[in-house]
Amino acid sequence: METGPQTWPNTRMALDKETEERIEQPVSEEAERETRLTPAEAVKQMKINVPVRGNRKLRRLLERVNEDTQLKGWWHASNVNAVVRMQINDHSWVHIQIVANVALKLLRQLTKHHIEPSVVRDYGYENDDAEVVVLLGALTHCIGMSVHREGHEDFSLFLAEPKLRELLHDIYEEPDLTVIVSEVLGAITSHRDYGKPLTLEAGIVRVADALDMEQGRSRIPFARGSISIHSLSAAAIEDVAIKDGEQRPVLIEITMNNSSGIYQVDSLLKAKLQGSGLEQYVEVVAHIDTEAEKRLVPIYRLET
């Protein structure tokens, strides 16, 4: 029997306070509601917030992004394709906002522990430039969903290239402009499960995309009665926190309300983490937050 919409707790990823305040996560009902707005109405309410932390390039870029109705139009069309036509999870600007914030958090966590971004190591750029690459990779990684789900990473590439040059105009001059654009395109094409990131920045975007996995983020198919290991495991994820690790620079700590969430961690997150280039820097620990199941699976560590 098909069940009506269920109301789940409005959980929030446990990032640092400054980042957390910038992430707005409306429930999936809001993502569905957005698809019923006209494109002009939907675009009007979109605003990406990330902590720029004194990065002037990032600040200028963010101002342009929030004025760009074409980019926002792609986000809206992507969400219509995902939610209305395919009935999969939210691919709206909210997903973009979450991935952007998580990606910047991961990058800053790594640089805090003196892990050098690829654009710094290979081109002599600064950490600020790596943040530009990571932010743009997050903002454009799935705009190809506006065309079609199948092969959307490739569609994202040809849509993004001229847009990236437009957004970065006067922030970079040639040949640096071409190098930064190329780095972003590398992050876009590498975010697929079978992608092969060549840079730290590309690996960060790929893992950040997978970390948009808290309970509410896959509510739509579950609430519609599509009961499967995918929907059950997604609904089991209560909280995702990014912290300092004990053995490695980054600890991803996941809280689950039942052990079906292990599928989400071991199959989906693991697929994105393996081959990302971040394996040596990241440890993933999952806790089962119910007394009955704590006796069975008290803690789960992802092996990569």
Side-chain angles (χ1 to χ4, degrees):
M1 179 185 298
E2 184 173 323
T3 60
Q6 300 180 33
T7 301
W8 300 99
N10 188 15
T11 55
R12 186 178 293 272
M13 185 170 291
L15 304 173
D16 59 280
K17 188 174 185 297
E18 183 183 9
T19 302
E20 185 175 323
E21 289 174 350
R22 286 166 168 81
I23 299 183
E24 300 171 3
Q25 296 184 29
V27 296
S28 289
E29 287 83 355
E30 178 68 15
E32 290 189 276
R33 187 190 69 82
E34 182 185 299
T35 65
R36 297 191 291 272
L37 300 176
T38 68
E41 290 170 337
V43 163
K44 188 176 181 180
Q45 68 181 19
M46 297 178 187
K47 185 177 182 181
I48 300 296
N49 290 298
V50 298
V52 295
R53 296 188 182 178
N55 185 337
R56 294 182 180 180
K57 293 174 182 175
L58 208 65
R59 185 180 300 279
R60 289 179 64 192
L61 174 60
L62 192 62
E63 289 172 354
R64 293 179 181 182
V65 164
N66 281 321
E67 294 174 356
D68 196 306
T69 53
Q70 183 182 38
L71 183 57
K72 293 177 179 180
W74 284 327
W75 295 338
H76 180 60
S78 295
N79 197 42
V80 170
N81 275 341
V83 172
V84 177
R85 297 170 178 171
M86 298 186 68
Q87 298 187 0
I88 59 176
N89 56 316
D90 178 7
H91 273 69
S92 70
W93 69 277
V94 180
H95 170 66
I96 300 300
Q97 164 109 312
I98 293 170
V99 174
N101 275 275
V102 173
L104 283 174
K105 172 63 176 176
L106 286 171
L107 175 61
R108 289 166 177 168
Q109 185 76 8
L110 290 167
T111 56
K112 182 177 79 170
H113 289 274
H114 310 293
I115 308 301
E116 198 172 45
S118 298
V119 296
V120 176
R121 181 196 65 203
D122 299 333
Y123 293 112
Y125 292 143
E126 299 178 350
N127 288 347
D128 282 0
D129 302 300
E131 291 186 358
V132 168
V133 170
V134 163
L135 178 63
L136 282 173
L139 295 177
T140 58
H141 75 281
C142 64
I143 57 176
M145 275 285 294
S146 63
V147 180
H148 203 284
R149 172 71 174 175
E150 297 297 323
H152 74 277
E153 299 93 347
D154 296 326
F155 299 138
S156 296
L157 291 174
F158 77 72
L159 292 175
E161 201 277 343
K163 177 56 64 178
L164 294 172
R165 290 184 175 274
E166 179 184 333
L167 291 170
L168 293 172
H169 176 68
D170 289 340
I171 297 178
Y172 293 96
E173 302 294 337
E174 293 291 6
D176 298 317
L177 175 60
T178 290
V179 171
I180 294 296
V181 168
S182 297
E183 293 294 295
V184 177
L185 295 176
I188 292 172
T189 195
S190 300
H191 92 271
R192 65 188 86 192
D193 290 346
Y194 55 89
K196 298 179 180 179
L198 299 178
T199 66
L200 184 76
E201 295 87 329
I204 286 170
V205 172
R206 174 170 155 158
V207 173
D209 183 42
L211 286 174
D212 182 13
M213 63 187 293
E214 285 186 355
Q215 181 187 56
R217 305 302 303 153
S218 293
R219 267 178 235 150
I220 294 172
F222 189 78
R224 285 176 175 160
S226 177
I227 308 301
S228 67
I229 187 59
H230 298 279
S231 57
L232 287 171
S233 65
I237 306 298
E238 290 282 356
D239 182 71
V240 181
I242 300 172
K243 306 177 179 179
D244 287 312
E246 294 182 3
Q247 307 297 326
R248 299 176 184 179
V250 180
L251 168 64
I252 298 173
E253 192 171 54
I254 299 168
T255 304
M256 304 181 289
N257 59 37
N258 70 77
S259 56
S260 69
I262 291 175
Y263 175 82
Q264 192 85 359
V265 177
D266 195 53
S267 295
L268 306 181
L269 176 57
K270 186 175 182 178
K272 288 292 187 81
L273 187 56
Q274 284 186 324
S276 68
L278 271 63
E279 300 96 323
Q280 61 183 313
Y281 306 125
V282 175
E283 52 185 307
V284 180
V285 176
H287 302 274
I288 317 307
D289 193 24
T290 59
E291 289 302 324
E293 294 205 52
K294 277 181 180 178
R295 294 190 296 270
L296 297 174
V297 192
I299 191 168
Y300 176 79
R301 295 183 182 274
L302 181 62
E303 300 293 334
T304 58

